[in-house]
Amino acid sequence: GADNLCRSWMAQWSMGVDGVICPFNTTGVRFGRSMGSYLLLQIHWNNAQLRSNLTDHTGMRVYYTPDLRPYDLGHVQVGQQEVVIPPGVTRHEQSGGCSVDCTSSLLPHPIYITTAHLHMHYLGAGGWLEVVRPNGSISTVFHADPFHFNKPDVHRLSSPVQMCR
């Protein structure tokens, strides 16, 4: 499955991730006026043991400044929402992507991938992210095998990977 509506959002957090969404001082998220007029906080809880004595202290802190950072931060979801695994198989590969139409609308100019992680809930056992260039060359951004939903690896890349339209 490709595209899945070319999703984009300001911030994303998953179980086991430290929560830092903007690790670079030179990076920020444009907000206000023509770039968005409200924030939506969506929370998914996981109470696998069905305990009734849990208390949540979830929150999000947003700092607003009129001083724009040199680089804009963005988050993009690539892949599919619905995974169908045939019954009885011990291994099943699933792939997802972002079409040229989607990247053309999301990428008005080259962008740089600095951080990436997988989000597969308990269905996934491993995975990777590749960038396929217009000339057909493929660059592997990261490889995560094994994958653990309760403590997923966040890959902060030592060298940013450029993506073009």
Side-chain angles (χ1 to χ4, degrees):
D3 290 348
N4 191 31
L5 305 177
C6 305
R7 293 174 186 241
S8 173
W9 56 83
M10 178 186 285
Q12 192 268 342
W13 177 87
S14 296
M15 218 170 30
V17 174
D18 65 13
V20 176
I21 65 156
C22 197
F24 305 102
N25 292 336
T26 57
T27 307
V29 176
R30 289 179 188 243
F31 182 75
R33 295 190 185 153
S34 65
M35 299 304 289
S37 57
Y38 66 91
L39 292 175
L40 170 69
L41 177 61
Q42 183 183 78
I43 299 173
H44 299 245
W45 284 278
N46 183 29
N47 183 4
Q49 298 173 348
L50 303 176
R51 292 175 41 199
S52 61
N53 62 341
L54 296 178
T55 303
D56 179 58
H57 297 284
T58 301
M60 182 170 147
R61 184 172 292 155
V62 177
Y63 297 94
Y64 185 84
T65 176
D67 302 322
L68 294 180
R69 303 292 193 265
Y71 302 104
D72 292 335
L73 176 73
H75 293 79
V76 178
Q77 175 178 323
V78 178
Q80 65 286 328
Q81 286 294 323
E82 298 178 25
V83 177
V84 178
I85 300 173
V89 299
T90 56
R91 181 176 174 85
H92 175 73
E93 290 192 16
Q94 186 86 29
S95 65
C98 195
S99 69
V100 172
D101 291 339
C102 184
T103 55
S104 293
S105 69
L106 285 176
L107 308 177
H109 49 76
I111 65 165
Y112 297 88
I113 302 171
T114 59
T115 307
H117 83 279
L118 297 174
H119 186 77
M120 302 183 286
H121 294 254
Y122 293 110
L123 292 176
W128 61 92
L129 175 65
E130 297 175 332
V131 174
V132 180
R133 308 278 179 204
N135 66 6
S137 66
I138 299 174
S139 301
T140 300
V141 176
F142 74 89
H143 193 267
D145 191 8
F147 168 79
H148 301 286
F149 177 61
N150 292 330
K151 187 65 178 156
D153 290 326
V154 175
H155 303 271
R156 299 201 194 285
L157 308 179
S158 56
S159 298
V161 176
Q162 184 183 43
M163 283 189 58
C164 301
R165 305 178 65 167

